[in-house]
Amino acid sequence: MTDKIITEQSGDIARIIFNQPEKRNAVSLEMWEAVEAAAKRFAEDDSVRILILSGAGGKAFVSGADISKFETERASTEAVAHYNATTKRVYDIIEDFPKPTIAQIDGFCIGGGVALSLSCDLRICGESSQFAVPAAKLGLGYGYQGINRLVNVVGPAFAKEIFFTARRFTSAEAKDMGLVNRVVPDDQVGQVAEETAQMIAANAPMTVNSVKYIVSQIVAPESETDLDECARRVQACFESEDYKEGRKAFMEKRKPNFVGA
């Protein structure tokens, strides 16, 4: 669809790479649509156990919307509605991705980049990374779901500070707020993201994926929580071949070979 979005797969690790480094990986409508298609494809691919999202060039993860496209993509009420519906679908697809997701954050993570990273399960950034949601400087409205994701990660007080001030926060501040899981040297972000992905991919997929689902139910409104499905997924783990393999490998003092069944 566009060369501004690159997709890769190495073994059981898939990648979606935002590829517009000359604009700090600012995202156009066409790019969001390509991410949506790629994420759907990887979600349905049983050979994929984990998804990493990153930005090309080493200077930015995603720096928000491509403002140069606003006059063509977000000028009218109808265009804004279409753009917002598209980005919402992408955030929802990443948040509901049935396998773990990692945001590999090099450099700037601004606006829609923060929103996208919040849709991921884990966030790993470099020491020089900077974060901001400049909506209040642009007069943009932010919906309930996007703010709710931020509140779930950093709490209401920090969420208000991020939105009210619209300023840039350092990686150290982001770590203190809980916005990121890990801060590492800039030249190690990709390596640590890859090592973390490999560590997760080597574990029992049914266990990992069931925990992801149950955590999503814990933070969801109580009226939307499906305890029966949580219990079903736990029981499926105990009935799986992987549970047998895990016990056998432990007794034999070897690395287990989990197949996800």
Side-chain angles (χ1 to χ4, degrees):
M1 295 175 65
T2 173
D3 61 0
K4 301 299 184 182
I5 296 296
I6 299 171
T7 60
E8 299 175 347
Q9 183 175 351
S10 177
D12 38 28
I13 300 172
R15 286 183 173 272
I16 295 176
I17 303 167
F18 291 78
N19 184 38
Q20 191 163 217
E22 69 277 8
K23 292 186 177 181
R24 291 180 174 172
N25 299 319
V27 192
S28 66
L29 179 62
E30 181 183 38
M31 291 168 68
W32 284 126
E33 291 171 342
V35 172
E36 180 182 8
K40 285 180 177 178
R41 185 174 75 253
F42 286 140
E44 295 169 357
D45 188 340
D46 291 338
S47 69
V48 172
R49 293 192 181 182
I50 188 165
L51 173 64
I52 300 175
L53 288 85
S54 62
K59 301 297 184 182
F61 172 59
V62 170
S63 61
D66 187 345
I67 297 178
S68 69
K69 300 281 188 177
F70 271 28
E71 288 304 310
T72 57
E73 295 181 352
R74 303 176 77 176
S76 68
T77 301
E78 295 78 11
V80 168
H82 177 64
Y83 184 96
N84 289 345
T86 302
T87 56
K88 180 183 183 303
R89 287 197 307 272
V90 173
Y91 300 148
D92 288 348
I93 288 168
I94 299 301
E95 182 177 42
D96 297 334
F97 198 78
K99 309 142 192 182
T101 54
I102 296 175
Q104 175 188 316
I105 302 170
D106 294 282
F108 291 96
C109 182
I110 310 294
V114 173
L116 182 64
S117 73
L118 290 168
S119 298
C120 295
D121 298 309
L122 305 178
R123 287 160 292 281
I124 298 170
C125 77
E127 292 174 338
S128 67
S129 291
Q130 296 184 43
F131 301 80
V133 182
K137 291 184 177 180
L138 296 169
L140 301 176
Y142 245 81
Y144 173 90
Q145 199 167 20
I147 296 175
N148 185 55
R149 287 191 183 104
L150 182 60
V151 170
N152 282 339
V153 172
V154 304
F158 281 130
K160 290 174 184 176
E161 182 179 0
I162 289 169
F163 272 100
F164 289 177
T165 65
R167 71 176 179 87
R168 290 184 182 175
F169 293 82
T170 66
S171 62
E173 290 175 307
K175 184 66 165 60
D176 287 342
M177 290 187 291
L179 184 58
V180 297
N181 296 81
R182 297 184 64 183
V183 179
V184 302
D186 289 342
D187 62 355
Q188 295 180 24
V189 180
Q191 175 186 336
V192 173
E194 178 72 18
E195 290 173 350
T196 304
Q198 290 176 355
M199 189 184 307
I200 294 170
N203 290 330
M206 292 178 67
T207 300
V208 171
N209 297 342
S210 69
V211 170
K212 173 169 180 170
Y213 177 81
I214 292 170
V215 171
S216 76
Q217 296 298 290
I218 290 170
V219 299
E222 188 174 351
S223 61
E224 298 176 12
T225 302
D226 190 339
L227 296 179
D228 289 340
E229 178 62 15
C230 291
R232 188 199 68 76
R233 292 185 181 224
V234 171
Q235 186 60 32
C237 291
F238 284 113
E239 295 174 353
S240 69
E241 292 300 316
D242 279 352
Y243 179 48
K244 296 177 184 177
E245 167 65 8
R247 301 197 316 270
K248 185 177 180 181
F250 179 80
M251 297 301 295
E252 296 175 355
K253 297 182 179 180
R254 62 173 174 81
K255 184 178 179 180
N257 179 29
F258 294 120
V259 298

